[in-house]
Amino acid sequence: MLFGKYKQELFIGILLWFLVLLAVASAARAGFSFHATLPEPHNVEFTVRYSDVEHFATRAGLTVEETLAFLKEQGVTSIGVFEQTLWGLRRANGCHVLSNLELAGELAFNPGLARYENFIRDAAGPEGLRLGDYIVLIPGGPWAEQVWEHLGQLRVVENPAIFRLSRAPAGERELFLIRGANYDNLPHLALGTNPGQLEKVSAAGLLVNPYLAARSIETSFAVEQALSTFDGADLSAVVFEGGLVPGFPRFTAETAAALAKRGLTVALYEYNQYPQGMKELAAHLQNSPVVMLPGKNWFPSLQEVFNGVRERKVQLVELQIRDFGPRLRGEELRDEFSRKISSVQQFLTGKGYNVGRLHQFAVGILPLKAYLVMGLGLVAFTLLLLRIFLPIRPVSLLILLIAAAAALFPFFCWNRVTAGQVLALWTALVFPLYAVCSLLSASFPVQGSPDGHGAGPRPGVNMPGFFARAGLRLGGVFLLSLAGGLLLHGLLTQPPFFCGLEFFRGVKIMYALPLIVAGFLVLVCQDSDVASAGASRYFFCPLHPGRLGKPCLVFVRRLLLRPVVLRDLLILGLLLALAYVYLLRTGHVMAVSPLESWERDILERLLGVRPRLKEFLLGYPPALLGLYFLQRQAKGALRLLAFIFLAAGVLVPISVLNTFAHVQAPVWLSICRSVHGFWLGALCGLLLLLLIWAVDACLRWRNRG
């Protein structure tokens, strides 16, 4: 009977681990193929806003045309050109946008406009201009025709009973009369881009990035009308500003059609910054959105640009040159700009990237069966973890496995993105919990071992044996973390995650929950009954199957019956304060101290890929120290400290999985970062042990003296 039970356990263990390995292999293949969509190294396009060009030209002592030619020589690829608005015409030379009240004052004090007084009165007709009426006086030509066409948008929203729109030629100028319009529809009325700006940019041989904002008047043809004003230029990518995609939510399909007609893609800022409606728009596009590093108040550093290009798929780098070198003027300003941009471009070129027009690409969707295999492997691993706490029979495990497999199919069919995010978070929880159980089992003897010790601490200090066992255990934790990271990454290999429209959700939970459970298990494992349960003889379970659940329940019951004293409240307050600081420093984006920034730069330069601090300083060294204390057969408070150090090892899988949760970073980069964290953490742990031995030797020498 026992032999039959062992065979059943062995069979279900092999089956579950096979499914886990199959899922990890499928996830690794998905991850590498996912990132092969964008060729590496890819092009990096440098862009500057046209308004910045005008400011820079004034300070550099150049014309706008000369400044554009200068930027072209310096490696700038494109210029961001905005649409004009009706109120923006007021700042344009030779253009006048005036209400009837403003017109009276301008006619009295502006000689250039006074000569059109009679013409304006004749065009207004017998009824004249009333309160709230406006005139637009603009030089004739293509720009005037474009403005007239866009003023026609007002007919869609204005009251036809009182709204009138008329025009009259005034020699070299055009006069547009707007009567009975709602004031709120006028200031931000989009007029398309200025053809004169496009001509200057195109003459310099530069590409154009249209910058479009949400419309004050949304129509089905608004974006098509806006983009048609850019048709004379060579376009690269469209940038949406203002917090809302034009046409969203009613005309998203029409917006996508206007982009597809011109073969354009859209750009969104890195770190998941994008306007409302971008997700819905991206679902209609043939090409995937590209990631853009937005302009800042300072020139981007070499490492900032390189990290964005390598880790977040940045293809478009916006340079804010409006305030560049605020104290510089003329040739000195131009020389400093040349030096700065040359250093960035040479750095990227040295890393294998090219400076030029960005790539347009389309991220393919993996077949559903690939995600089902990954989901089934995650279920199998969850059952392995559950087996540690509950004595589930092999047949019951098989039934649970089949039931979970049946539930995965409709889950992915319902919403593949949500299913991937939920299962990725589940992966980020179960793998660290299994790892901490594996570390804590180092203190337990294997049941049925001849010497009663097995994998646990042995009498004396056999250092070669200790390093062999500790190396195998920490190596196992590393491989387990790596497998979990690949599986998490594979579940998120979907188009919205490639460019940052979607991202891994639940970072705070991922960092907090496994650590809380690890602390709870440390307290439970102090119970002698748990230690006597022993480690498992079955290779797929670090503890004896089902023997940890009952001690956990007993401990919880004792904890609830225990009276609360002031010391408990003080400890709880301290733990909450530490938890607050700990969670405050977790997340996808955070500010770092100058010291940590210096440490990161050093590691980047030495290793090429920066390992995570939580791994090589706060994860591996304490775990190794905890194993050493157990090797010394520590008792009392020192034994509790050993368990706490082992529980701190849960930071290793948490950090590794968080590395792979950055889906935009290539898989090979995450693997390299984790490998560096492993060997560097082992080295730091060894140095820590040497320090402890040195202190211990000094103390013993002093006592002898």
Side-chain angles (χ1 to χ4, degrees):
M1 183 69 182
L2 291 177
F3 181 75
K5 181 180 179 181
Y6 175 76
K7 290 179 64 176
Q8 292 177 6
E9 296 279 0
L10 187 62
F11 169 76
I12 195 66
I14 292 175
L15 175 62
L16 294 178
W17 276 112
F18 172 77
L19 293 175
V20 172
L21 295 177
L22 184 64
V24 172
S26 178
R29 180 181 178 184
F32 282 105
S33 62
F34 181 70
H35 291 283
T37 304
L38 180 62
E40 288 289 350
H42 57 261
N43 285 357
V44 180
E45 178 179 316
F46 287 88
T47 186
V48 175
R49 300 189 182 205
Y50 191 89
S51 57
D52 282 16
V53 174
E54 294 175 326
H55 282 79
F56 189 87
T58 302
R59 296 172 52 221
L62 303 173
T63 65
V64 171
E65 292 83 353
E66 291 171 338
T67 303
L68 290 170
F70 169 75
L71 294 175
K72 172 72 173 177
E73 293 175 359
Q74 302 306 315
V76 174
T77 309
S78 60
I79 301 296
V81 181
F82 286 79
E83 289 185 280
Q84 294 283 350
T85 62
L86 184 58
W87 255 225
L89 278 182
R90 294 185 167 192
R91 299 188 297 270
N93 293 330
C95 297
H96 301 278
V97 180
L98 302 168
S99 68
N100 65 323
L101 296 178
E102 294 170 328
L103 179 61
E106 287 290 326
L107 289 174
F109 298 102
N110 188 338
L113 187 62
R115 60 195 179 101
Y116 293 98
E117 180 177 359
N118 293 332
F119 172 76
I120 294 173
R121 293 185 187 280
D122 292 341
E127 70 271 17
L129 295 176
R130 298 179 180 179
L131 183 64
D133 293 347
Y134 282 81
I135 71 155
V136 178
L137 189 64
I138 184 173
W143 179 220
E145 294 300 323
Q146 181 178 313
V147 171
W148 172 253
E149 179 186 352
H150 282 74
L151 287 175
Q153 299 175 79
L154 293 169
R155 295 189 177 96
V156 179
V157 295
E158 297 295 347
N159 185 355
I162 60 174
F163 176 72
R164 296 290 183 272
L165 185 63
S166 59
R167 65 184 296 183
E172 296 181 353
R173 291 176 176 266
E174 290 280 348
L175 176 67
F176 306 137
L177 298 177
I178 306 173
R179 305 170 187 263
N182 184 350
Y183 174 81
D184 293 337
N185 294 328
L186 298 179
H188 303 291
L189 180 68
L191 304 176
T193 189
N194 189 327
Q197 295 180 356
L198 289 184
E199 291 176 5
K200 294 177 182 179
V201 174
S202 299
L206 293 163
L207 304 175
V208 172
N209 292 317
Y211 278 64
L212 305 183
R215 334 295 290 178
S216 59
I217 300 175
E218 292 287 7
T219 63
S220 59
F221 57 85
V223 175
E224 170 61 33
Q225 188 181 50
L227 289 177
S228 65
T229 65
F230 290 88
D231 282 345
D234 191 4
L235 305 182
S236 179
V238 177
V239 181
F240 293 129
E241 289 203 330
L244 186 69
V245 171
F248 178 80
R250 291 189 297 166
F251 307 116
T252 303
E254 288 78 3
T255 300
L259 294 169
K261 177 181 177 180
R262 296 163 177 81
L264 290 174
T265 187
V266 295
L268 51 96
Y269 294 152
E270 66 171 350
Y271 291 122
N272 317 108
Q273 300 179 67
Y274 50 85
Q276 185 182 4
M278 183 65 80
K279 291 182 183 180
E280 292 77 4
L281 177 64
H284 291 81
L285 296 178
Q286 298 176 353
N287 295 324
S288 298
V290 297
V291 183
M292 176 179 178
L293 180 66
K296 301 177 181 178
N297 294 329
W298 61 88
F299 206 87
S301 66
L302 300 179
Q303 204 62 47
E304 181 183 13
V305 175
F306 178 57
N307 287 341
V309 170
R310 182 179 61 169
E311 298 181 15
R312 293 181 290 279
K313 301 291 192 301
V314 167
Q315 288 197 75
L316 192 60
V317 178
E318 184 184 61
L319 303 176
Q320 189 180 91
I321 64 174
R322 175 189 300 263
D323 302 319
F324 176 79
R327 298 183 179 180
L328 304 178
R329 295 292 185 273
E331 185 176 355
E332 189 178 6
L333 174 63
R334 299 195 297 271
D335 291 343
E336 179 63 15
F337 178 80
S338 299
R339 187 186 67 82
K340 280 283 188 180
I341 194 171
S342 296
S343 63
V344 175
Q345 293 173 348
Q346 290 174 5
F347 183 78
L348 290 176
T349 304
K351 297 294 185 178
Y353 294 94
N354 305 313
V355 177
R357 186 172 192 159
L358 57 81
H359 291 288
Q360 293 197 14
F361 58 95
V363 179
I365 301 177
L366 295 176
L368 181 60
K369 62 181 180 181
Y371 297 105
L372 292 176
V373 169
M374 288 184 268
L376 190 60
L378 177 59
V379 171
F381 191 82
T382 304
L383 293 177
L384 288 171
L385 177 63
L386 194 62
R387 182 71 170 139
I388 299 175
F389 294 88
L390 301 175
I392 307 176
R393 294 182 300 173
V395 175
S396 300
L397 287 173
L398 195 58
I399 294 174
L400 290 174
L401 183 66
I402 296 172
L408 285 174
F409 181 76
F411 190 27
F412 275 105
C413 290
W414 167 66
N415 191 315
R416 193 173 296 189
V417 171
T418 302
Q421 288 175 322
V422 170
L423 294 181
L425 178 58
W426 187 248
T427 303
L429 297 178
V430 295
F431 273 83
L433 293 180
Y434 195 96
V436 75
C437 289
S438 176
L439 285 173
L440 292 176
S441 68
S443 63
F444 304 147
V446 173
Q447 282 201 347
S449 59
D451 58 358
H453 294 286
R458 300 171 185 268
V461 183
N462 180 10
M463 296 315 299
F466 162 72
F467 280 118
R469 290 190 297 274
L472 288 174
R473 195 166 292 275
L474 292 182
V477 170
F478 166 71
L479 293 177
L480 187 67
S481 306
L482 201 61
L486 289 171
L487 184 56
L488 182 149
H489 190 95
L491 288 166
L492 300 180
T493 50
Q494 303 178 48
F497 295 91
F498 190 87
C499 54
L501 282 174
E502 286 287 358
F503 53 93
F504 173 79
R505 298 181 184 274
V507 178
K508 305 292 185 184
I509 299 175
M510 168 188 182
Y511 270 93
L513 191 57
L515 201 59
I516 293 173
V517 176
F520 172 76
L521 291 178
V522 163
L523 298 176
V524 172
C525 290
Q526 288 298 295
D527 195 321
S528 59
D529 294 338
V530 180
S532 64
S536 174
R537 69 170 65 197
Y538 307 120
F539 71 95
F540 59 88
C541 187
L543 293 173
H544 190 63
R547 296 299 294 272
L548 198 56
K550 185 176 180 180
C552 289
L553 293 177
V554 171
F555 178 80
V556 170
R557 186 174 61 183
R558 291 177 182 173
L559 187 64
L560 294 176
L561 295 176
R562 183 177 181 273
V564 178
V565 296
L566 180 59
R567 181 186 61 183
D568 299 333
L569 297 178
L570 293 176
I571 293 176
L572 180 61
L574 178 61
L575 291 177
L576 290 176
L578 292 175
Y580 175 77
V581 175
Y582 172 72
L583 293 177
L584 196 65
R585 289 186 50 80
T586 63
H588 289 286
V589 185
M590 68 175 186
V592 296
S593 64
L595 179 61
E596 189 172 352
S597 179
W598 173 81
E599 172 262 331
R600 291 184 175 191
D601 290 340
I602 292 295
L603 291 175
E604 288 277 3
R605 294 177 183 178
L606 292 178
L607 303 177
V609 179
R610 174 182 60 84
R612 288 186 172 273
L613 188 74
K614 293 183 182 69
E615 291 175 42
F616 70 86
L617 279 186
L618 304 179
Y620 289 111
L624 184 61
L625 193 59
L627 293 174
Y628 173 72
F629 284 159
L630 291 178
Q631 172 78 13
R632 295 287 301 269
Q633 291 189 331
K635 302 295 183 181
L638 194 58
R639 178 176 173 81
L640 176 60
L641 186 62
F643 275 111
I644 293 175
F645 284 154
L646 288 176
V650 77
L651 290 174
V652 171
I654 290 176
S655 180
V656 170
L657 267 73
N658 187 47
T659 297
F660 283 89
H662 294 75
V663 191
Q664 289 179 277
V667 177
W668 67 265
L669 190 69
S670 299
I671 294 176
C672 289
R673 175 172 286 180
S674 301
V675 170
H676 284 315
F678 174 62
W679 73 261
L680 198 57
L683 179 61
C684 290
L686 181 60
L687 293 177
L688 184 61
L689 284 181
L690 291 176
L691 178 62
I692 291 175
W693 291 337
V695 172
D696 184 54
C698 290
L699 291 176
R700 281 187 288 179
W701 177 81
R702 182 179 178 182
N703 292 333
R704 289 177 184 175

